[in-house]
Amino acid sequence: SKIISSRGVTFEKDNQELAGVIAQEIQKNIPEVVSEDNNGYLSVNYNGVVGYLIEAIKELKAEVEELKSKL
């Protein structure tokens, strides 16, 4: 549930198109992976998000397996 409420987005930074997430959305559910610099800009430590992504995949896999067993 911590990951589901976040969106994957693309954005431009320094004339380069990047993919990521919106830090404010992540901050609401996983504040420990978001930091703020001296200018007030937020950034996400993507390495810290990986564990949550793994758990979300496990939950989805369990749901899929349960649905398959009902067929």
Side-chain angles (χ1 to χ4, degrees), residues 43-68:
S43 62
V44 176
N45 173 359
Y46 288 97
N47 291 332
V49 177
V50 170
Y52 293 100
L53 293 172
I54 290 169
E55 291 305 310
I57 291 168
K58 287 180 182 178
E59 289 174 18
L60 289 172
K61 184 180 185 311
E63 286 183 37
V64 168
E65 294 300 323
E66 181 182 339
L67 290 170
K68 281 183 176 179

Side-chain angles (χ1 to χ4, degrees), residues 2-70:
K2 291 183 177 190
I3 295 296
I4 292 299
S5 62
S6 302
R7 294 176 286 157
V9 297
T10 57
F11 58 95
E12 223 176 276
K13 181 179 179 185
D14 301 327
N15 293 321
Q16 188 177 20
E17 190 168 330
L18 303 170
V21 295
I22 297 174
Q24 291 86 344
E25 292 177 358
I26 295 290
Q27 190 177 39
K28 290 177 186 175
N29 294 305
I30 317 172
E32 64 272 19
V33 302
V34 178
S35 59
E36 186 173 348
D37 70 11
N38 294 335
N39 296 319
Y41 291 104
L42 299 178
S43 62
V44 176
N45 173 359
Y46 288 97
N47 291 332
V49 177
V50 170
Y52 293 100
L53 293 172
I54 290 169
E55 291 305 310
I57 291 168
K58 287 180 182 178
E59 289 174 18
L60 289 172
K61 184 180 185 311
E63 286 183 37
V64 168
E65 294 300 323
E66 181 182 339
L67 290 170
K68 281 183 176 179
S69 72
K70 293 180 179 180

